[in-house]
Amino acid sequence: MSLPPSTDRDLWITWDQYHALIERLALIIHDSGWKFDKIICLARGGVRVGDVLSRIYDVPLGILATSSYREAAGTQQGTLDIAQFITITRGTLDGRVLLVDDMVDTGMTFNRVGEHLRNQFPDITEMKSAVLWWKGHSHATPDYHVEKLPTNPWIHQPFEDYDSLRPHQLEAWMRKGKRNGE
C-alpha cells in the first residue's frame, strides 16, 4: 500500500524516510561540532528520535513525558502537561543537554519545556534542541533541524497507524499485512 502524495497541507512519511531523517539529524549535529553529555527526549514524538541519537552518540537518554495534542483525536493542541519526573538511564540531568523532539509545531511545548528544564535542573550548563521538522509558524527556533516546513502541513508519521489500532483488531491487521505497509 503506497502513501498518498504529500501536499502543502499533508506530509506523508514512510518508515524508511523517517529513519533517514533521524540519521540526517545525527549528521547535522555532528557536523556542528557541539558536544553534549545527555539527551532528553519528549515523549511521545521524540522518543524514537532520542533513542536512535542516544545509540549513535552513546550518551545517556532521558525521557520527559509531555502532552498537549489530546483534543480532536490528537489533531488539536490543548493545555500542556509536563510530567513531574524524568526517567534517565544514567546519572542526573546536568551538563550539556540535547533536547530532542520529532518537530517544533507552534513552539509552545518547546519553549515551556526549555524553561521547565532550566528551572528544575540548575546543573544543566548548556542546552540545545534538535528536531526532524520545524514548522514555519513556530514561535520557537530549534538549534538543529532537518526540514523547515513553511506551509505547516500535518505530518503523517508511520507510527500513526497504532493510534487507532486496538488489541482486539491486531490479529486481523497483521493478516492484512498492514505492519509491512502492504
Side-chain angles (χ1 to χ4, degrees), residues 40-59:
I40 184 82
C41 65
L42 301 184
R44 295 189 310 185
V47 171
R48 290 168 183 89
V49 181
D51 175 57
V52 173
L53 293 178
S54 174
R55 292 169 189 271
I56 290 171
Y57 281 95
D58 192 27
V59 297

Side-chain angles (χ1 to χ4, degrees), residues 2-155:
S2 62
L3 296 177
S6 291
T7 66
D8 285 348
R9 294 188 51 173
D10 293 281
L11 177 61
W12 297 88
I13 303 296
T14 66
W15 279 112
D16 286 343
Q17 292 168 326
Y18 182 77
H19 291 121
L21 287 164
I22 297 171
E23 292 162 1
R24 285 178 50 204
L25 182 61
L27 282 174
I28 289 167
I29 297 165
H30 174 73
D31 290 346
S32 78
W34 187 63
K35 306 289 184 213
F36 51 93
D37 307 307
K38 295 179 177 133
I39 294 173
I40 184 82
C41 65
L42 301 184
R44 295 189 310 185
V47 171
R48 290 168 183 89
V49 181
D51 175 57
V52 173
L53 293 178
S54 174
R55 292 169 189 271
I56 290 171
Y57 281 95
D58 192 27
V59 297
L61 175 66
I63 300 171
L64 176 62
T66 61
S67 178
S68 64
Y69 281 88
R70 291 177 302 278
E71 309 298 322
T75 62
Q76 186 177 355
Q77 192 170 31
T79 305
L80 176 64
D81 293 324
I82 300 173
Q84 184 176 358
F85 300 103
I86 290 178
T87 301
I88 191 159
T89 54
R90 213 167 45 238
T92 60
L93 197 57
D94 58 7
R96 294 178 312 268
V97 174
L98 180 65
L99 175 61
V100 174
D101 204 355
D102 55 350
M103 74 181 80
V104 174
D105 192 345
T106 64
M108 180 190 79
T109 298
F110 238 57
N111 287 335
R112 291 259 322 276
V113 166
E115 292 170 16
H116 171 80
L117 292 173
R118 285 183 190 88
N119 290 335
Q120 296 296 314
F121 300 93
D123 291 335
I124 294 176
T125 57
E126 187 177 8
M127 186 168 47
K128 292 192 177 187
S129 57
V131 297
L132 302 178
W133 300 283
W134 176 24
K135 291 193 177 184
H137 65 192
S138 175
H139 296 287
T141 303
D143 295 290
Y144 307 104
H145 69 282
V146 180
E147 294 183 354
K148 177 131 190 208
L149 305 172
T151 61
N152 310 307
W154 183 263
I155 302 168

